[in-house]
Amino acid sequence: MDSQKTVKKSEYNFLEILLFPFRCAFVPAITLLIYTVLNGLTPIMQVIVMAKTINTTIAVVENRASISSVYLSAFFMLLLIGYQWMSEGLARFSQSKVNLNVRAAFRTIVTEKIARLNYKHVENDETWNLIKRILQKPEDQIAGALLM
């Protein structure tokens, strides 16, 4: 896998860990990033579109505007509703792709690091318990950082 070649390194800093999903699965990670930003902006856009729809409807009732002017704001409302219906499924799909690619790359790196451990660390119960606690799906924690 190409992503394994680009991510192998002995130590990672905080920024590299945040960028890890982008190195493993660039397009799905960008999709998740855009989803997160749009998910935060959607309620604001809904309020704006709803206010515009109400104002336009009032103007139509008061004969200050034609009925055709309501269609544009209704169209934008339909776009927002359609986005909300479709975006969650696309985000779940992208999250799955990111999880799989990060797991494939990161699990290999972690397994190789464990294989290089001295035998005395494997036999030491305290050290091995610490390793087991750290290894409880670390790739999910890295990939999950995109949907916070």
Side-chain angles (χ1 to χ4, degrees), residues 46-118:
Q46 280 180 331
V47 169
I48 292 170
V49 169
M50 186 59 76
K52 177 72 174 161
T53 304
I54 291 170
N55 290 340
T56 306
T57 305
I58 290 172
V60 168
V61 170
E62 293 175 349
N63 290 327
R64 290 186 286 137
S66 68
I67 190 76
S68 61
S69 60
V70 176
Y71 295 143
L72 184 61
S73 57
F75 175 73
F76 283 124
M77 186 61 75
L78 287 174
L79 278 178
L80 284 170
I81 291 169
Y83 165 76
Q84 288 178 328
W85 282 349
M86 294 174 38
S87 65
E88 192 174 333
L90 181 61
R92 281 196 306 262
F93 175 74
S94 296
Q95 183 68 39
S96 297
K97 291 288 287 178
V98 169
N99 283 344
L100 288 173
N101 289 349
V102 168
R103 183 173 292 130
F106 195 68
R107 186 57 77 169
T108 304
I109 294 168
V110 170
T111 304
E112 288 174 359
K113 277 194 174 240
I114 291 172
R116 287 192 306 263
L117 279 176
N118 290 335

Side-chain angles (χ1 to χ4, degrees), residues 4-76:
Q4 289 178 354
K5 295 175 187 170
T6 60
V7 295
K8 285 191 177 186
K9 192 175 175 183
S10 61
E11 292 185 18
Y12 297 96
N13 62 30
F14 182 71
L15 181 62
E16 290 171 335
I17 289 173
L18 285 178
L19 294 176
F20 200 88
F22 293 96
R23 288 191 191 125
C24 294
F26 184 75
V27 173
I30 290 293
T31 303
L32 281 175
L33 186 66
I34 291 170
Y35 166 76
T36 304
V37 170
L38 288 179
N39 214 23
L41 293 176
T42 300
I44 297 167
M45 290 187 290
Q46 280 180 331
V47 169
I48 292 170
V49 169
M50 186 59 76
K52 177 72 174 161
T53 304
I54 291 170
N55 290 340
T56 306
T57 305
I58 290 172
V60 168
V61 170
E62 293 175 349
N63 290 327
R64 290 186 286 137
S66 68
I67 190 76
S68 61
S69 60
V70 176
Y71 295 143
L72 184 61
S73 57
F75 175 73
F76 283 124

